Amino acid sequence: MSSASSTVPAVNQDLTDWDFCQDPYPEMARWRRLGPVVYNEFADHYMVTGYRNCSRTLAAVRKFSSQDMEELFVRAFGGVTMEALDSPRHHDMRGIWSEFFQRDSLETQRELVTEIVAAQVDRFVERLRSGETLDAIPNMTRAIPTLVIARMLGIDESMHRRFSEWSEAMGGTQEGSYDPTPEGRAVLRKGAEATAALNAYIADVVIARRKAARGEDLVSMMVFHDYAAEMTEREIIASNSQLVFAGNETTAKLMATTLVALAQYPDQRRALAADRSLIPAAIEEIHRWQTLVQVLPRRACSDESDVDGVRVPRGAEVKVLIGAGNRDPERWERPDEFDIHREPRQHLGFGFGMHVCLGLNLARLELRIWLNQILDKMPDFELADAIVYGRGLGLRGPKSVPLAL
Ligand code: HEM
C-alpha cells in the first residue's frame, strides 16, 4: 500500500457510493479547490481533478503509464489491447485502424449509419406514437452502435442478434461489478460468458475465414496488416472484442444522456430543432456537461511522477477525473450550466493524448445522424420518470430513459 505524500490533501470517498454517483460534481469541485491532486484514503489512490492537470497527466506517458493497467484488459478481453500499451507497440497497433477511423474516411460509412439509425428510430417512434412509454436504451440507442460495429467487423447478418446479446451482456458488467448481491454476480458471470463467446466467435469463425478470404472489414484490416506478425493471436482477438465493448455502451449511453438533457431543457431542444447547424456543438456540450467516462486509470511509473509539482509516489494508482476536469471553472464560465450556445472548447470526454478515443469520429457521426432524425421524427418528448444513474464512474450514464411523447 502506498502512503500519501505529506503535501497532498487527503479525502475519503467511495467512488462507487450510490448517492455520490447520482451527482458527484459538488464533491469533485471541492476536491479541485484543495489542490492539483488529492489522495483518496478510501481506496488508496490519487485523484487529479482540474482540466489542465488532467490533460497534462494524460499526456505525460513517461510519468503516468497505461501499460501497468494491462491486467485489467487481459481479465476483460483475454489479451492485451492498444489501450493497455505504451509506445512503440501502442503506436503500431493503433496505426492498423487509425486511418479507417479518420473523419474523412468515415464518410464512406455515412449511408450505412443513416440506414441503421433510421430503422431503430422509426420503430421506436412508431411505438411511442401508439401510446407506449418506452425505455430508450434497450429499445433504441443500444442497437445502433452495436449494429454499426457488427457491420464494420464483417459479422455475418445471421449472427447480429447473438452479437447484440453479447455486446449488451459485456456492457452490463460495468454495473454488475459494484453489486455484491447474487444478481450482481450473475450479471458479471453473464458478461464474462459473453466475452468468452465473442472471443471464440472472432477466433474460430471470423479470423479463420478472413485468413482464407480477405474482406473489406476491420478484422481483415488487422489480420492482413504487416504488424499482425508482431501480434499474438490472443492480442488480435482481444483487440477486436475490445472494439465492441469500447464503442457500444459508451455511444448508446451518450445518446441516452442527450435525450435526458434535451427533455430537461425543452428551450434548447427547440433551438436545436430550428437550427441544425448547432447539433455538433450541442453534442459536445452534452458530453462535457455529463461526461460518460468520468475516470481514466493510470499508474505513476517514475520517481519524477508529479501533478503540477506535487509528487505522486512511483507505483501509486492514479485516477484522472476527466468528468471533474470538464466542469473546471478555470476553463469554462458557469461550468455547471448546460448551454448549447457556449463557445466550443475541447473537452476531455474522449480522453486526451496518445490514448485519445480511436472511435471518436465514429461516435460523433452516429450521434449527429441520430439526433437529426430524432428532431425530425419526435421533436417533442418528455421523461416519464425520474432519472437514476448507475454506480461507478467508469461509465456514468442513466440506467434507463423512460420516454413518452
Ligand atoms: C461516446 C462514445 C465514446 C466515448 C465517450 C469514448 C471514450 C473513450 C475514452 C475516454 C478513451 C480514452 C481511454 C484512456 O485514455 O485510457 C477511449 C479510448 C478508446 N476508444 Fe472510445 N469512446 C467512445 C466511442 C468509441 C467507439 C465508437 C470506438 C470504436 C468503435 C471506440 C474505441 C476506442 C479505443 C480502441 C480506445 C483506445 C485508444 C488507445 O488506447 O489508443 N470508442 N474512448
Side-chain angles (χ1 to χ4, degrees), residues 82-83 90 94 101 149 242-243 246-247 250-251 254 287 292-293 296 298 322 349-351 354-359 362-363:
M82 70 180 87
E83 208 168 338
H90 169 268
R94 184 171 168 122
F101 285 105
I149 200 70
Q242 196 220 339
L243 220 48
T250 46
T251 309
L254 186 52
H287 199 180
L292 264 289
V293 179
L296 293 177
R298 294 293 187 269
I322 57 174
F350 286 112
M354 75 180 202
H355 288 285
V356 70
C357 179
L358 177 74
L362 176 60

mmCIF file of all heavy atoms in Angstrom, residues 82-83 90 94 101 149 242-243 246-247 250-251 254 287 292-293 296 298 322 349-351 354-359 362-363, ligand 1:
data_model
loop_
_atom_site.group_PDB
_atom_site.id
_atom_site.type_symbol
_atom_site.label_atom_id
_atom_site.label_comp_id
_atom_site.label_asym_id
_atom_site.label_seq_id
_atom_site.Cartn_x
_atom_site.Cartn_y
_atom_site.Cartn_z
ATOM 1 N N MET A 82 -4.547 -2.136 -27.440
ATOM 2 C CA MET A 82 -3.759 -0.881 -27.536
ATOM 3 C C MET A 82 -3.919 0.013 -26.315
ATOM 4 O O MET A 82 -3.005 0.730 -25.936
ATOM 5 C CB MET A 82 -4.157 -0.109 -28.800
ATOM 6 C CG MET A 82 -5.527 0.492 -28.766
ATOM 7 S SD MET A 82 -5.918 1.363 -30.281
ATOM 8 C CE MET A 82 -6.587 0.064 -31.292
ATOM 9 N N GLU A 83 -5.093 -0.057 -25.675
ATOM 10 C CA GLU A 83 -5.364 0.848 -24.565
ATOM 11 C C GLU A 83 -4.421 0.582 -23.390
ATOM 12 O O GLU A 83 -4.169 1.463 -22.574
ATOM 13 C CB GLU A 83 -6.820 0.685 -24.128
ATOM 14 C CG GLU A 83 -7.378 1.945 -23.513
ATOM 15 C CD GLU A 83 -8.879 1.902 -23.333
ATOM 16 O OE1 GLU A 83 -9.554 1.116 -24.026
ATOM 17 O OE2 GLU A 83 -9.375 2.664 -22.487
ATOM 18 N N HIS A 90 2.040 0.557 -28.819
ATOM 19 C CA HIS A 90 0.744 1.220 -28.922
ATOM 20 C C HIS A 90 0.572 1.873 -30.286
ATOM 21 O O HIS A 90 -0.448 1.729 -30.962
ATOM 22 C CB HIS A 90 0.592 2.271 -27.803
ATOM 23 C CG HIS A 90 -0.592 3.163 -28.020
ATOM 24 N ND1 HIS A 90 -0.506 4.361 -28.689
ATOM 25 C CD2 HIS A 90 -1.906 2.999 -27.717
ATOM 26 C CE1 HIS A 90 -1.711 4.903 -28.769
ATOM 27 N NE2 HIS A 90 -2.572 4.102 -28.183
ATOM 28 N N ARG A 94 -2.302 0.780 -32.924
ATOM 29 C CA ARG A 94 -3.336 1.786 -33.235
ATOM 30 C C ARG A 94 -3.292 2.152 -34.715
ATOM 31 O O ARG A 94 -4.323 2.410 -35.353
ATOM 32 C CB ARG A 94 -3.127 3.021 -32.346
ATOM 33 C CG ARG A 94 -4.203 4.067 -32.522
ATOM 34 C CD ARG A 94 -4.075 5.169 -31.482
ATOM 35 N NE ARG A 94 -4.913 6.276 -31.850
ATOM 36 C CZ ARG A 94 -5.898 6.798 -31.117
ATOM 37 N NH1 ARG A 94 -6.125 6.329 -29.923
ATOM 38 N NH2 ARG A 94 -6.628 7.802 -31.558
ATOM 39 N N PHE A 101 -10.659 5.164 -39.033
ATOM 40 C CA PHE A 101 -11.469 5.960 -38.105
ATOM 41 C C PHE A 101 -11.284 7.471 -38.248
ATOM 42 O O PHE A 101 -11.790 8.237 -37.440
ATOM 43 C CB PHE A 101 -11.194 5.526 -36.655
ATOM 44 C CG PHE A 101 -11.849 4.208 -36.302
ATOM 45 C CD1 PHE A 101 -11.106 3.047 -36.198
ATOM 46 C CD2 PHE A 101 -13.217 4.128 -36.110
ATOM 47 C CE1 PHE A 101 -11.711 1.832 -35.889
ATOM 48 C CE2 PHE A 101 -13.831 2.921 -35.803
ATOM 49 C CZ PHE A 101 -13.074 1.772 -35.689
ATOM 50 N N ILE A 149 -21.021 -1.407 -35.586
ATOM 51 C CA ILE A 149 -19.700 -2.045 -35.448
ATOM 52 C C ILE A 149 -19.749 -3.492 -35.964
ATOM 53 O O ILE A 149 -18.770 -3.991 -36.530
ATOM 54 C CB ILE A 149 -19.147 -1.943 -33.995
ATOM 55 C CG1 ILE A 149 -17.620 -2.146 -33.959
ATOM 56 C CG2 ILE A 149 -19.791 -2.910 -33.045
ATOM 57 C CD1 ILE A 149 -16.814 -1.055 -34.536
ATOM 58 N N GLN A 242 -12.484 -5.861 -27.949
ATOM 59 C CA GLN A 242 -12.489 -4.600 -27.204
ATOM 60 C C GLN A 242 -13.207 -3.494 -27.974
ATOM 61 O O GLN A 242 -13.851 -2.632 -27.404
ATOM 62 C CB GLN A 242 -11.076 -4.153 -26.860
ATOM 63 C CG GLN A 242 -11.094 -3.078 -25.778
ATOM 64 C CD GLN A 242 -10.109 -1.963 -25.988
ATOM 65 O OE1 GLN A 242 -9.141 -2.137 -26.720
ATOM 66 N NE2 GLN A 242 -10.338 -0.844 -25.358
ATOM 67 N N LEU A 243 -13.078 -3.558 -29.296
ATOM 68 C CA LEU A 243 -13.735 -2.552 -30.129
ATOM 69 C C LEU A 243 -15.251 -2.562 -29.884
ATOM 70 O O LEU A 243 -15.893 -1.526 -29.854
ATOM 71 C CB LEU A 243 -13.453 -2.882 -31.590
ATOM 72 C CG LEU A 243 -13.168 -1.740 -32.543
ATOM 73 C CD1 LEU A 243 -12.161 -0.771 -31.992
ATOM 74 C CD2 LEU A 243 -12.708 -2.287 -33.881
ATOM 75 N N ALA A 246 -15.699 -1.091 -26.321
ATOM 76 C CA ALA A 246 -15.316 0.331 -26.197
ATOM 77 C C ALA A 246 -16.329 1.249 -26.846
ATOM 78 O O ALA A 246 -16.560 2.356 -26.378
ATOM 79 C CB ALA A 246 -13.945 0.561 -26.827
ATOM 80 N N GLY A 247 -16.939 0.790 -27.950
ATOM 81 C CA GLY A 247 -17.771 1.701 -28.714
ATOM 82 C C GLY A 247 -19.259 1.606 -28.454
ATOM 83 O O GLY A 247 -19.993 2.555 -28.722
ATOM 84 N N THR A 250 -20.756 2.998 -24.548
ATOM 85 C CA THR A 250 -20.443 4.431 -24.471
ATOM 86 C C THR A 250 -21.365 5.238 -25.391
ATOM 87 O O THR A 250 -22.019 6.180 -24.963
ATOM 88 C CB THR A 250 -18.986 4.692 -24.907
ATOM 89 O OG1 THR A 250 -18.744 3.963 -26.106
ATOM 90 C CG2 THR A 250 -17.984 4.324 -23.841
ATOM 91 N N THR A 251 -21.421 4.851 -26.657
ATOM 92 C CA THR A 251 -22.211 5.618 -27.628
ATOM 93 C C THR A 251 -23.701 5.551 -27.271
ATOM 94 O O THR A 251 -24.410 6.563 -27.314
ATOM 95 C CB THR A 251 -21.974 5.083 -29.051
ATOM 96 O OG1 THR A 251 -20.559 5.007 -29.268
ATOM 97 C CG2 THR A 251 -22.585 5.976 -30.099
ATOM 98 N N LEU A 254 -24.323 7.824 -24.407
ATOM 99 C CA LEU A 254 -24.250 9.255 -24.734
ATOM 100 C C LEU A 254 -25.549 9.680 -25.440
ATOM 101 O O LEU A 254 -26.065 10.771 -25.215
ATOM 102 C CB LEU A 254 -23.017 9.586 -25.585
ATOM 103 C CG LEU A 254 -22.792 11.079 -25.845
ATOM 104 C CD1 LEU A 254 -22.792 11.906 -24.561
ATOM 105 C CD2 LEU A 254 -21.478 11.324 -26.582
ATOM 106 N N HIS A 287 -21.763 16.195 -23.808
ATOM 107 C CA HIS A 287 -20.685 15.289 -23.383
ATOM 108 C C HIS A 287 -19.780 15.951 -22.326
ATOM 109 O O HIS A 287 -19.297 15.298 -21.419
ATOM 110 C CB HIS A 287 -19.876 14.887 -24.624
ATOM 111 C CG HIS A 287 -19.051 13.654 -24.450
ATOM 112 N ND1 HIS A 287 -18.264 13.142 -25.450
ATOM 113 C CD2 HIS A 287 -18.859 12.839 -23.397
ATOM 114 C CE1 HIS A 287 -17.651 12.063 -25.008
ATOM 115 N NE2 HIS A 287 -17.980 11.861 -23.774
ATOM 116 N N LEU A 292 -19.374 10.866 -19.860
ATOM 117 C CA LEU A 292 -19.675 9.443 -19.721
ATOM 118 C C LEU A 292 -18.597 8.702 -18.941
ATOM 119 O O LEU A 292 -18.843 8.108 -17.911
ATOM 120 C CB LEU A 292 -19.761 8.817 -21.122
ATOM 121 C CG LEU A 292 -21.107 8.655 -21.786
ATOM 122 C CD1 LEU A 292 -21.883 7.592 -21.104
ATOM 123 C CD2 LEU A 292 -21.872 9.938 -21.836
ATOM 124 N N VAL A 293 -17.393 8.705 -19.518
ATOM 125 C CA VAL A 293 -16.262 8.061 -18.857
ATOM 126 C C VAL A 293 -15.678 9.127 -17.924
ATOM 127 O O VAL A 293 -15.038 10.059 -18.373
ATOM 128 C CB VAL A 293 -15.206 7.608 -19.895
ATOM 129 C CG1 VAL A 293 -14.013 6.961 -19.218
ATOM 130 C CG2 VAL A 293 -15.833 6.661 -20.906
ATOM 131 N N LEU A 296 -10.209 7.987 -15.778
ATOM 132 C CA LEU A 296 -9.254 7.171 -16.536
ATOM 133 C C LEU A 296 -8.154 6.694 -15.583
ATOM 134 O O LEU A 296 -7.554 7.510 -14.883
ATOM 135 C CB LEU A 296 -8.662 7.984 -17.691
ATOM 136 C CG LEU A 296 -9.670 8.350 -18.789
ATOM 137 C CD1 LEU A 296 -9.031 9.217 -19.859
ATOM 138 C CD2 LEU A 296 -10.265 7.090 -19.417
ATOM 139 N N ARG A 298 -4.546 5.334 -14.394
ATOM 140 C CA ARG A 298 -3.145 5.324 -14.771
ATOM 141 C C ARG A 298 -2.335 4.876 -13.563
ATOM 142 O O ARG A 298 -2.859 4.776 -12.465
ATOM 143 C CB ARG A 298 -2.666 6.726 -15.193
ATOM 144 C CG ARG A 298 -3.299 7.283 -16.469
ATOM 145 C CD ARG A 298 -2.893 6.516 -17.707
ATOM 146 N NE ARG A 298 -3.344 7.109 -18.959
ATOM 147 C CZ ARG A 298 -4.482 6.834 -19.586
ATOM 148 N NH1 ARG A 298 -5.343 5.966 -19.055
ATOM 149 N NH2 ARG A 298 -4.784 7.401 -20.740
ATOM 150 N N ILE A 322 -11.627 12.990 -15.453
ATOM 151 C CA ILE A 322 -11.901 13.873 -16.590
ATOM 152 C C ILE A 322 -13.288 14.513 -16.500
ATOM 153 O O ILE A 322 -13.517 15.586 -17.029
ATOM 154 C CB ILE A 322 -11.681 13.174 -17.960
ATOM 155 C CG1 ILE A 322 -12.532 11.921 -18.116
ATOM 156 C CG2 ILE A 322 -10.218 12.867 -18.179
ATOM 157 C CD1 ILE A 322 -12.432 11.294 -19.511
ATOM 158 N N GLY A 349 -13.916 14.436 -22.683
ATOM 159 C CA GLY A 349 -14.816 13.280 -22.677
ATOM 160 C C GLY A 349 -14.306 12.087 -23.478
ATOM 161 O O GLY A 349 -14.674 10.939 -23.197
ATOM 162 N N PHE A 350 -13.464 12.331 -24.484
ATOM 163 C CA PHE A 350 -12.891 11.222 -25.257
ATOM 164 C C PHE A 350 -11.444 10.969 -24.832
ATOM 165 O O PHE A 350 -10.706 10.287 -25.547
ATOM 166 C CB PHE A 350 -12.927 11.536 -26.756
ATOM 167 C CG PHE A 350 -14.302 11.435 -27.373
ATOM 168 C CD1 PHE A 350 -14.963 12.564 -27.835
ATOM 169 C CD2 PHE A 350 -14.934 10.207 -27.508
ATOM 170 C CE1 PHE A 350 -16.215 12.483 -28.422
ATOM 171 C CE2 PHE A 350 -16.192 10.104 -28.093
ATOM 172 C CZ PHE A 350 -16.845 11.240 -28.549
ATOM 173 N N GLY A 351 -11.028 11.504 -23.695
ATOM 174 C CA GLY A 351 -9.647 11.336 -23.255
ATOM 175 C C GLY A 351 -8.758 12.398 -23.888
ATOM 176 O O GLY A 351 -9.240 13.383 -24.489
ATOM 177 N N MET A 354 -2.076 10.328 -26.323
ATOM 178 C CA MET A 354 -1.940 9.246 -27.310
ATOM 179 C C MET A 354 -3.056 8.193 -27.221
ATOM 180 O O MET A 354 -3.313 7.499 -28.183
ATOM 181 C CB MET A 354 -0.570 8.598 -27.229
ATOM 182 C CG MET A 354 -0.346 7.682 -26.078
ATOM 183 S SD MET A 354 1.340 7.042 -26.218
ATOM 184 C CE MET A 354 1.186 5.572 -25.235
ATOM 185 N N HIS A 355 -3.730 8.100 -26.073
ATOM 186 C CA HIS A 355 -4.824 7.121 -25.976
ATOM 187 C C HIS A 355 -6.186 7.747 -26.261
ATOM 188 O O HIS A 355 -7.217 7.117 -25.998
ATOM 189 C CB HIS A 355 -4.838 6.473 -24.590
ATOM 190 C CG HIS A 355 -3.697 5.527 -24.384
ATOM 191 N ND1 HIS A 355 -3.652 4.280 -24.963
ATOM 192 C CD2 HIS A 355 -2.543 5.670 -23.696
ATOM 193 C CE1 HIS A 355 -2.517 3.677 -24.618
ATOM 194 N NE2 HIS A 355 -1.827 4.500 -23.852
ATOM 195 N N VAL A 356 -6.194 8.974 -26.773
ATOM 196 C CA VAL A 356 -7.495 9.612 -27.046
ATOM 197 C C VAL A 356 -8.335 8.654 -27.894
ATOM 198 O O VAL A 356 -7.799 7.908 -28.727
ATOM 199 C CB VAL A 356 -7.301 10.989 -27.747
ATOM 200 C CG1 VAL A 356 -6.802 10.834 -29.181
ATOM 201 C CG2 VAL A 356 -8.581 11.800 -27.718
ATOM 202 N N CYS A 357 -9.632 8.658 -27.662
ATOM 203 C CA CYS A 357 -10.527 7.652 -28.252
ATOM 204 C C CYS A 357 -10.296 7.450 -29.756
ATOM 205 O O CYS A 357 -10.401 8.394 -30.543
ATOM 206 C CB CYS A 357 -11.970 8.071 -28.008
ATOM 207 S SG CYS A 357 -13.157 6.933 -28.721
ATOM 208 N N LEU A 358 -10.048 6.205 -30.125
ATOM 209 C CA LEU A 358 -9.856 5.877 -31.539
ATOM 210 C C LEU A 358 -11.158 6.063 -32.312
ATOM 211 O O LEU A 358 -11.146 6.410 -33.497
ATOM 212 C CB LEU A 358 -9.398 4.414 -31.658
ATOM 213 C CG LEU A 358 -9.204 3.873 -33.060
ATOM 214 C CD1 LEU A 358 -7.932 4.428 -33.685
ATOM 215 C CD2 LEU A 358 -9.150 2.343 -33.065
ATOM 216 N N GLY A 359 -12.291 5.837 -31.635
ATOM 217 C CA GLY A 359 -13.580 5.850 -32.345
ATOM 218 C C GLY A 359 -14.346 7.149 -32.216
ATOM 219 O O GLY A 359 -15.534 7.193 -32.521
ATOM 220 N N LEU A 362 -16.316 8.234 -35.236
ATOM 221 C CA LEU A 362 -17.459 7.364 -35.498
ATOM 222 C C LEU A 362 -18.588 7.688 -34.522
ATOM 223 O O LEU A 362 -19.758 7.806 -34.911
ATOM 224 C CB LEU A 362 -17.047 5.884 -35.375
ATOM 225 C CG LEU A 362 -18.196 4.889 -35.527
ATOM 226 C CD1 LEU A 362 -18.877 5.021 -36.876
ATOM 227 C CD2 LEU A 362 -17.693 3.455 -35.332
ATOM 228 N N ALA A 363 -18.229 7.851 -33.240
ATOM 229 C CA ALA A 363 -19.261 8.184 -32.242
ATOM 230 C C ALA A 363 -19.955 9.489 -32.629
ATOM 231 O O ALA A 363 -21.184 9.594 -32.577
ATOM 232 C CB ALA A 363 -18.631 8.298 -30.854
HETATM 233 C C1 HEM B 1 -19.481 8.361 -26.947
HETATM 234 C C2 HEM B 1 -18.739 7.320 -27.221
HETATM 235 C C3 HEM B 1 -17.375 7.078 -26.684
HETATM 236 C C4 HEM B 1 -16.747 7.570 -25.567
HETATM 237 C C5 HEM B 1 -17.324 8.509 -24.508
HETATM 238 C C6 HEM B 1 -15.406 7.022 -25.547
HETATM 239 C C7 HEM B 1 -14.462 7.330 -24.589
HETATM 240 C C8 HEM B 1 -13.134 6.933 -24.650
HETATM 241 C C9 HEM B 1 -12.080 7.391 -23.765
HETATM 242 C C10 HEM B 1 -12.276 8.370 -22.612
HETATM 243 C C11 HEM B 1 -10.921 6.795 -24.144
HETATM 244 C C12 HEM B 1 -9.530 7.003 -23.535
HETATM 245 C C13 HEM B 1 -9.086 5.829 -22.685
HETATM 246 C C14 HEM B 1 -7.764 6.080 -21.954
HETATM 247 O O1 HEM B 1 -7.146 7.130 -22.089
HETATM 248 O O2 HEM B 1 -7.369 5.181 -21.199
HETATM 249 C C15 HEM B 1 -11.234 5.933 -25.267
HETATM 250 C C16 HEM B 1 -10.329 5.116 -25.928
HETATM 251 C C17 HEM B 1 -10.673 4.230 -26.928
HETATM 252 N N1 HEM B 1 -11.892 4.151 -27.584
HETATM 253 FE FE1 HEM B 1 -13.539 5.249 -27.184
HETATM 254 N N2 HEM B 1 -15.255 6.198 -26.639
HETATM 255 C C18 HEM B 1 -16.419 6.211 -27.366
HETATM 256 C C19 HEM B 1 -16.656 5.558 -28.556
HETATM 257 C C20 HEM B 1 -15.785 4.681 -29.168
HETATM 258 C C21 HEM B 1 -16.045 3.970 -30.403
HETATM 259 C C22 HEM B 1 -17.303 4.129 -31.258
HETATM 260 C C23 HEM B 1 -14.958 3.158 -30.627
HETATM 261 C C24 HEM B 1 -14.681 2.218 -31.765
HETATM 262 C C25 HEM B 1 -15.570 1.614 -32.472
HETATM 263 C C26 HEM B 1 -14.008 3.385 -29.543
HETATM 264 C C27 HEM B 1 -12.785 2.774 -29.424
HETATM 265 C C28 HEM B 1 -11.805 3.155 -28.533
HETATM 266 C C29 HEM B 1 -10.479 2.550 -28.490
HETATM 267 C C30 HEM B 1 -9.958 1.420 -29.370
HETATM 268 C C31 HEM B 1 -9.760 3.246 -27.496
HETATM 269 C C32 HEM B 1 -8.313 3.010 -27.073
HETATM 270 C C33 HEM B 1 -7.434 4.013 -27.826
HETATM 271 C C34 HEM B 1 -5.956 3.926 -27.463
HETATM 272 O O3 HEM B 1 -5.614 3.363 -26.426
HETATM 273 O O4 HEM B 1 -5.144 4.434 -28.252
HETATM 274 N N3 HEM B 1 -14.544 4.314 -28.691
HETATM 275 N N4 HEM B 1 -12.585 6.052 -25.574
#
